[in-house]
Amino acid sequence: NAGVTQTPKFQVLKTGQSMTLQCAQDMNHNSMYWYRQDPGMGLRLIYYSASEGTTDKGEVPNGYNVSRLNKREFSLRLESAAPSQTSVYFCASSEAPGAGEAFFGQGTRLTVV
Amino acid sequence: RKEVEQDPGPFNVPEGATVAFNCTYSNSASQSFFWYRQDCRKEPKLLMSVYSSGNEDGRFTAQLNRASQYISLLIRDSKLSDSATYLCVVLMNTGFQKLVFGTGTRLLVSP
């Protein structure tokens, strides 16, 4: 089972460039999430989609946009990358918003120079 | 104050040792509690849920103290393969239900 698939795994951007991180899940989950993980900060929620057709801001949404393309796919876009967005990004999915088990993708290591 | 706080460690223990991690959370209305495991440069994965009555899964025991807003994870007979970062996770309802992750406690088990 593929589970949650994220692309790309690694990316280096120059300040001001844009990019989209792709995420797809094959578990028929309703809810999908984007987190970033920084040293000493833990995982922080950027945006989430409780169900297909809805998206909402999490704790740290500034500088990001998302699209829930369909039930399977949830993309994260950086319109104008900044060095502060250097981080490891994880996509995750769960059956429902209140489900305790979230399944994570392998992560995207993004460096903005 | 962080919503979920953990000692970052690292905890260095020999194989066979028993080690315990603690975690505190700030929101008394928190609903559910979990321990996730994250290996180096990998994604987090659910290790176990934490129930009010305490629960055990093999060598792992999780306990919850709602009055003190405190969660613990006990690992007995540590194995080299237990080396990882253990994330304390709390399900909170702050307008929407979200999983709030602690920064993790790093465990290193040595031969």
Side-chain angles (χ1 to χ4, degrees):
Chain A
N1 285 340
V4 179
T5 304
Q6 271 182 253
T7 56
K9 287 189 171 50
F10 301 93
Q11 183 71 50
V12 178
L13 290 179
K14 293 182 179 178
T15 297
Q17 286 185 316
S18 62
M19 78 162 293
T20 299
L21 281 64
Q22 307 287 353
C23 176
Q25 52 92 8
D26 63 2
M27 295 173 282
N28 201 36
H29 284 167
N30 290 303
S31 302
M32 298 186 74
Y33 315 85
W34 277 103
Y35 290 89
R36 59 178 289 173
Q37 187 173 35
D38 303 290
M41 300 292 289
L43 282 152
R44 292 182 291 168
L45 185 63
I46 305 171
Y47 269 93
Y48 70 102
S49 171
S51 60
E52 184 180 358
T54 69
T55 60
D56 287 285
K57 296 178 180 180
E59 303 168 69
V60 289
N62 292 345
Y64 306 95
N65 282 298
V66 291
S67 296
R68 183 76 182 265
L69 303 169
N70 47 55
K71 192 170 186 180
R72 291 187 63 248
E73 298 173 287
F74 188 39
S75 62
L76 178 72
R77 183 160 179 84
L78 286 70
E79 290 291 353
S80 179
S84 61
Q85 294 178 305
T86 293
S87 188
V88 180
Y89 292 85
F90 287 101
C91 177
S93 71
S94 65
E95 286 187 3
E101 184 165 18
F103 294 80
F104 285 80
Q106 292 182 311
T108 297
R109 294 187 174 274
L110 175 66
T111 302
V112 183
V113 298
Chain B
R1 182 184 172 188
K2 289 182 180 176
E3 292 179 294
V4 179
E5 294 204 60
Q6 294 182 253
D7 181 343
F11 284 56
N12 290 285
V13 302
E15 270 187 293
T18 295
V19 61
F21 307 137
N22 302 321
C23 167
T24 57
Y25 59 95
S26 61
N27 188 336
S28 60
S30 298
Q31 301 168 306
S32 305
F33 309 89
F34 310 90
W35 285 99
Y36 275 66
R37 170 188 169 133
Q38 186 173 23
D39 293 309
C40 188
R41 302 179 77 85
K42 298 286 189 181
E43 72 274 22
K45 293 182 180 179
L46 179 67
L47 177 67
M48 60 196 302
S49 301
V50 186
Y51 303 122
S52 297
S53 55
N55 50 302
E56 190 173 305
D57 183 2
R59 298 181 292 107
F60 298 82
T61 300
Q63 292 194 313
L64 167 65
N65 184 322
R66 283 190 185 270
S68 301
Q69 295 179 208
Y70 169 98
I71 305 157
S72 66
L73 177 68
L74 182 77
I75 305 176
R76 291 182 299 279
D77 189 23
S78 298
K79 311 291 185 192
L80 295 176
S81 58
D82 293 334
S83 296
T85 297
Y86 291 84
L87 307 174
C88 176
V89 184
V90 177
L91 181 64
M92 295 187 183
N93 191 337
T94 56
F96 63 92
Q97 289 183 309
K98 65 172 184 178
L99 291 174
V100 179
F101 288 78
T103 54
T105 298
R106 191 167 173 217
L107 172 65
L108 300 171
V109 182
S110 54

